[in-house]
Amino acid sequence: MKWWNKKVFNKSIRSLHRDLGYLFIGLTLIYAISGILLVLKKDGQNPSYREIIMEKEAKANLKPDELKTFWKDHFSDAPKLTRIIPAEDVYNIYVKGGLGKYYPYNGRIEFTIFKKIPVYKFVNDIHYNSGHRFTFLAVIFSIVLVFFAISGAVMVKGKKGFKKRGVWLMIIGFIIPVLLFFYT
């Protein structure tokens, strides 16, 4: 007598595959959406933030302390000016949530504010594993994906099963990324 029953084993694998599939739908969608956002991002921009570019005019030739006072008195609609670092012909300025430049020779100020987009930030933090908060979840998810691949491959029997059709599709699935890696 066999020490395990093949029918019970197959039924158990199918049930586990189904139940874990339902359990991991949310996480799969989060990783998929954030993956799409990361792949489609432009020029290295982080899709978790929206950039707002602002320009202001101030008096020319202000010293750092004078610029701080001028900012406070005239730019109530702008974020708080937190730091000024003079360079040769420009001041690097830091404002709450952004950074920019003040050009003393003409009084022009330009700066960029970075506003968080909460949904994008959330899915990006999970995908990037920001702060390593999601390491355990990422490892578990990876193990479950390996299980899905193996159990899904052996579930289908017959001429459309893994031994007939599936093995060739799996090989193609390995070849495509290898070809893209070497030929792009």
Side-chain angles (χ1 to χ4, degrees):
M1 184 167 152
K2 292 183 181 179
W3 60 273
W4 63 282
N5 185 328
K6 186 176 180 182
K7 197 173 193 178
V8 171
F9 179 76
N10 287 342
K11 187 176 181 182
S12 299
I13 291 296
R14 284 178 181 274
S15 295
L16 187 59
H17 184 99
R18 179 199 61 224
D19 293 344
L20 285 175
Y22 290 146
L23 181 66
F24 280 85
I25 285 173
L27 192 57
T28 302
L29 290 173
I30 287 171
Y31 270 104
I33 291 166
S34 64
I36 291 167
L37 292 173
L38 293 173
V39 166
L40 298 178
K41 69 183 179 181
K42 301 175 203 162
D43 304 322
Q45 289 179 330
N46 187 336
S48 299
Y49 295 91
R50 180 171 47 110
E51 292 182 9
I52 302 169
I53 298 170
M54 300 181 84
E55 292 185 16
K56 299 280 186 187
E57 292 293 326
K59 292 181 182 176
N61 300 316
L62 293 175
K63 303 285 182 237
D65 290 336
E66 295 170 331
L67 178 59
K68 266 191 176 177
T69 304
F70 187 88
W71 189 284
K72 200 181 298 181
D73 295 341
H74 292 86
F75 301 145
S76 60
D77 62 330
K80 182 181 176 190
L81 178 63
T82 58
R83 189 171 182 198
I84 302 171
I85 300 175
E88 286 184 28
D89 59 345
V90 68
Y91 293 176
N92 294 312
I93 60 171
Y94 295 85
V95 297
K96 185 172 173 116
L99 48 98
K101 296 186 181 307
Y102 165 68
Y103 300 93
Y105 59 89
N106 64 6
R108 192 170 59 113
I109 300 171
E110 52 188 44
F111 56 97
T112 304
I113 305 298
F114 302 97
K115 293 277 188 184
K116 289 180 186 175
I117 302 173
V119 173
Y120 289 166
K121 177 106 175 77
F122 170 71
V123 296
N124 253 9
D125 282 355
I126 289 177
H127 202 108
Y128 275 133
N129 193 15
S130 298
H132 303 290
R133 297 177 299 181
F134 304 103
T135 301
F136 182 72
L137 183 61
V139 169
I140 296 296
F141 187 56
S142 298
I143 291 168
V144 169
L145 286 178
V146 169
F147 170 75
F148 284 161
I150 294 169
S151 63
V154 298
M155 270 196 247
V156 180
K157 306 291 182 215
K159 66 181 180 179
K160 293 186 180 178
F162 184 74
K163 291 180 184 174
K164 302 282 184 177
R165 182 180 186 179
V167 72
W168 297 108
L169 292 172
M170 180 191 71
I171 290 169
I172 292 169
F174 278 119
I175 290 173
I176 290 172
V178 170
L179 289 176
L180 287 173
F181 178 78
F182 287 111
Y183 293 108
T184 55

